[in-house]
Amino acid sequence: MDEASREWLAALGAEGAAREEGVARLHDLLLRVALHEVARRGTAITGPELDDVAHQSADDATVAVLAKLPTFRGESRFTTWAYRFVVLEVSSKLGRHYWRRPAARLADEDWERLPDRFGVDPSAHSERREMVDAIRRAVDEVLTEHQRALFVAIVLGGVPLDALVARTGSSRGAIYKGVFDARRKIRAFLDANGYLDDAPGAGSDGREGAGRP
Amino acid sequence: MSEWARLEAFLTTDPRDVGCDEAMAVLHVYVEAIAAGLDPAARYPGVAAHLAACGPCNEDFEGLLAAVTNPDLGG
Ligand SMILES: [Zn+2]
């Protein structure tokens, strides 16, 4: 383990004033990372609200780092490992913040948004209808209720994945997996029913396996 | 890229994709390798596949990389 990481572990593992000083230094560092990170994301949130997100992220990340300290195995520098907690907290806080926007809501099944999502010209009426019909058929025939709800929220509604995490209490990994399975099943359906015959490279990339995650 | 090709690209999943939990579990190691100019995709192909497909995890990857390479944050 590198010298600086050992020093961090010693300070955070100390007792009394030495530990307090170490924790304060950690919090200060994580706050600076959080402030840089919320600025880098370029979200619509600004001013004190954005500062709030950064402060809450740094607070919660500090607690998480201290709780997980025994699991740090020196695979990276200590600071890199600790920064990961604050970056993940920023994502989680921004996901929660999404629902505070006045316009935020879970979308109805507005299928007209599907062709827009993939750049089909608004005046290309028959192409738009063809794409909507194909995907609706696939969604009706191959997705579970749960997969359908995720697909509608994320693809038609444009709801960020981390906002769904905040809304449903499910994990990012579980939601990603649901959308992953939906994508795979819809593609297999379109392929099997000849919808992708005109697309370049259709069905030729050998990626049809069961797949993870 | 045509509209149908774009749709197909979105629907195409990579069987190597390890998912969010596994990718985030090694993110610190992966990011340090990138920052050191190495190619962690060779050792972690499933993580590379995931970061290419998962918007939020890729955002976290970019954020962590920005933090470790920021000279203002000497740590
Ligand atoms: Zn992910």
Side-chain angles (χ1 to χ4, degrees):
Chain A
M1 198 181 297
D2 62 285
E3 186 64 30
S5 297
R6 261 201 302 274
E7 281 171 20
W8 274 109
L9 290 186
L12 298 173
E15 311 229 326
R19 180 173 193 271
E20 272 169 45
E21 196 266 333
V23 172
R25 211 151 49 87
L26 174 67
H27 182 267
D28 178 65
L29 184 60
L30 295 184
L31 178 57
R32 283 193 287 144
V33 174
L35 288 166
H36 275 102
E37 180 60 7
V38 295
R40 192 193 66 80
R41 301 259 176 148
T43 69
I45 313 164
T46 54
E49 260 193 306
L50 195 61
D51 274 2
D52 238 31
V53 169
H55 277 88
Q56 287 172 23
S57 301
D59 293 353
D60 290 353
T62 302
V63 172
V65 166
L66 293 174
K68 298 274 185 179
L69 206 53
T71 69
F72 175 65
R73 295 194 301 271
E75 301 162 310
S76 71
R77 279 174 305 189
F78 171 79
T79 46
T80 307
W81 178 80
Y83 292 173
R84 187 189 53 164
F85 288 90
V86 81
V87 169
L88 292 172
E89 285 294 343
V90 166
S91 288
S92 163
K93 305 295 186 251
L94 291 176
R96 212 175 300 164
H97 209 280
Y98 174 83
W99 300 105
R100 291 206 213 151
R101 304 184 326 170
R105 61 185 174 85
L106 278 175
D108 308 321
E109 289 200 12
D110 183 359
W111 286 94
E112 274 314 300
R113 297 178 72 168
L114 183 87
D116 296 334
R117 171 85 165 72
F118 297 99
V120 184
D121 196 288
S123 64
H125 298 294
S126 66
E127 195 189 348
R128 292 176 72 86
R129 197 169 53 245
E130 197 189 335
M131 186 180 280
V132 168
D133 288 350
I135 300 291
R136 285 195 75 156
R137 227 191 114 194
V139 164
D140 284 343
E141 293 193 24
V142 298
L143 296 195
T144 65
E145 272 306 305
H146 177 63
Q147 290 163 349
R148 181 192 187 107
L150 294 178
F151 186 85
V152 166
I154 287 177
V155 180
L156 302 186
V159 176
L161 206 152
D162 283 332
L164 272 190
V165 171
R167 176 81 164 219
T168 61
S170 187
S171 71
R172 183 193 283 180
I175 291 177
Y176 180 81
K177 169 93 166 72
V179 178
F180 181 95
D181 290 342
R183 287 160 56 211
R184 180 172 52 75
K185 287 163 80 174
I186 292 171
R187 189 189 187 284
F189 177 90
L190 296 184
D191 222 1
N193 289 278
Y195 287 106
L196 297 177
D197 290 350
D198 297 337
S204 61
D205 60 2
R207 284 165 155 189
E208 282 301 303
R212 296 201 279 167
Chain B
M1 202 190 258
S2 81
E3 297 82 358
W4 278 86
R6 218 171 284 149
L7 171 68
E8 189 187 357
F10 169 72
L11 295 174
T12 301
T13 52
D14 188 333
R16 294 170 304 176
D17 190 331
V18 294
C20 302
D21 297 341
E22 212 173 313
M24 290 302 96
V26 296
L27 191 67
H28 53 306
V29 179
Y30 196 92
V31 160
E32 260 189 17
I34 295 269
L38 304 172
D39 176 23
R43 186 176 159 202
Y44 298 107
V47 174
H50 184 71
L51 295 178
C54 180
C57 286
N58 191 59
E59 187 78 91
D60 291 342
F61 162 76
E62 296 285 352
L64 189 54
L65 184 62
V68 301
T69 54
N70 184 341
D72 297 343
L73 297 167

